[in-house]
Amino acid sequence: KIDSHIGHCISEWRRKAGLSQETLAQTIGLQQTAVSKIEAGKQSLTVEQHFLSLMLAAFLTQKLSLN
């Protein structure tokens, strides 16, 4: 399932970037519970959220390259 795969990737990128779910949620304008559900693959993603996940991947990739 694509939502589960995306959620797993977001979780891995977030952890590698040293961010908490709360910090990530604040950064991208979501509630921490939404980030938790997305990472667990328990929330279906809308088209907008898929786009947001791509932007998030770019953000976390940049943060990792700066560390």
Side-chain angles (χ1 to χ4, degrees), residues 13 17 54-67:
W13 289 325
L54 291 173
M55 292 185 65
L56 173 61
F59 167 77
L60 292 176
T61 300
Q62 180 182 19
K63 181 159 177 57
L64 287 172
S65 69
L66 295 175
N67 288 342

Side-chain angles (χ1 to χ4, degrees), residues 2-55:
I2 187 113
D3 293 337
S4 179
H5 177 72
I6 290 172
H8 176 75
C9 290
I10 290 171
S11 177
E12 289 297 314
W13 289 325
R14 176 184 59 77
R15 290 175 192 188
K16 287 179 183 176
L19 299 174
S20 68
Q21 286 183 342
E22 182 65 33
T23 300
L24 177 58
Q26 289 175 353
T27 301
I28 61 175
L30 293 176
Q31 296 291 322
Q32 180 273 329
T33 54
V35 171
S36 177
K37 287 178 183 178
I38 291 168
E39 287 186 356
K42 294 182 178 179
Q43 179 170 324
S44 294
L45 301 177
T46 65
V47 172
E48 292 84 6
Q49 288 171 322
H50 279 287
F51 179 73
L52 182 59
S53 70
L54 291 173
M55 292 185 65

